[in-house]
Amino acid sequence: MKPIAIIGQTILYGAFAAFIGYFATAPRYQHLPPDKAVVKLSISHLGGRECRKRTPEELAKLPQNMRAPLDCPRERSPIALELDMDGQSLFKGQMQPTGVAKDGIATIYRRFEVPAGEHTLAVRLNDNLRQSGFPYSKEAQVTLKPAQILVVDFNPDRGGLFFQ
């Protein structure tokens, strides 16, 4: 009985190894078509808050340990974001702050398959919708190679919007 069990196990293990070996190489997977590139919009940022200066009368009414000169609401502003490529809009929308009190970070992640080649990329961001316009903007000529991934990110410590 033992030789039959060994032969049976060998056949079953061989079939399992062939199954794994086939699916390790086939069917062939292609991440992107050969003439496409990817632009990823990946931003996480805290929206602005509208603080106001308290009057001397308001400060006098408060307990001494709570006399902060500025009154800042907890809620943060949504963030407006626009992404254009060659004059056409790829994305236009708002990122909402997270959290029960709307005081958390606003995050967006979008992926766009675009034709490879030379393009004009423009990004605009407003992190305080109580103010008009876009205080952060960046426009650049980019050359995207086939299968290249270009990430659009935001970091106020590095000057705002940047491409990497």
Side-chain angles (χ1 to χ4, degrees):
M1 186 108 153
K2 194 161 186 153
I4 294 176
I6 293 173
I7 292 172
Q9 283 182 347
T10 304
I11 291 172
L12 288 176
Y13 282 128
F16 181 68
F19 177 80
I20 296 294
Y22 172 76
F23 284 107
T25 59
R28 187 165 208 98
Y29 173 75
Q30 184 174 7
H31 179 66
L32 284 173
D35 60 338
K36 296 284 185 180
V38 173
V39 175
K40 286 186 180 180
L41 186 60
S42 176
I43 295 177
S44 294
H45 180 59
L46 285 170
R49 290 192 279 187
E50 194 66 35
C51 296
R52 68 172 190 83
K53 192 170 182 167
R54 289 186 171 134
T55 65
E57 294 80 30
E58 288 177 311
L59 288 172
K61 290 179 186 176
L62 293 172
Q64 200 162 14
N65 65 335
M66 299 190 66
R67 292 183 182 169
L70 292 178
D71 179 27
C72 297
R74 188 169 177 180
E75 185 173 320
R76 294 193 173 268
S77 171
I79 297 172
L81 183 64
E82 295 180 0
L83 173 65
D84 297 339
M85 188 174 79
D86 299 329
Q88 296 197 339
S89 179
L90 287 180
F91 178 82
K92 183 176 185 177
Q94 288 185 358
M95 305 179 323
Q96 298 298 323
T98 57
V100 174
K102 302 282 186 215
D103 61 343
I105 198 161
T107 304
I108 188 165
Y109 176 82
R110 295 281 194 283
R111 183 180 182 276
F112 306 97
E113 285 187 22
V114 298
E118 189 147 325
H119 301 284
T120 303
L121 206 57
V123 185
R124 293 172 294 284
L125 184 138
N126 182 350
D127 62 354
N128 192 344
L129 294 185
R130 293 172 192 92
Q131 301 169 357
S132 62
F134 290 95
Y136 298 100
S137 64
K138 181 171 179 88
E139 185 169 333
Q141 282 293 118
V142 294
T143 303
L144 299 173
K145 299 176 183 139
Q148 180 182 351
I149 298 173
L150 177 85
V151 178
V152 178
D153 202 352
F154 179 80
N155 186 340
D157 297 335
R158 290 182 54 188
L161 293 158
F162 60 95
F163 305 136
Q164 59 181 11

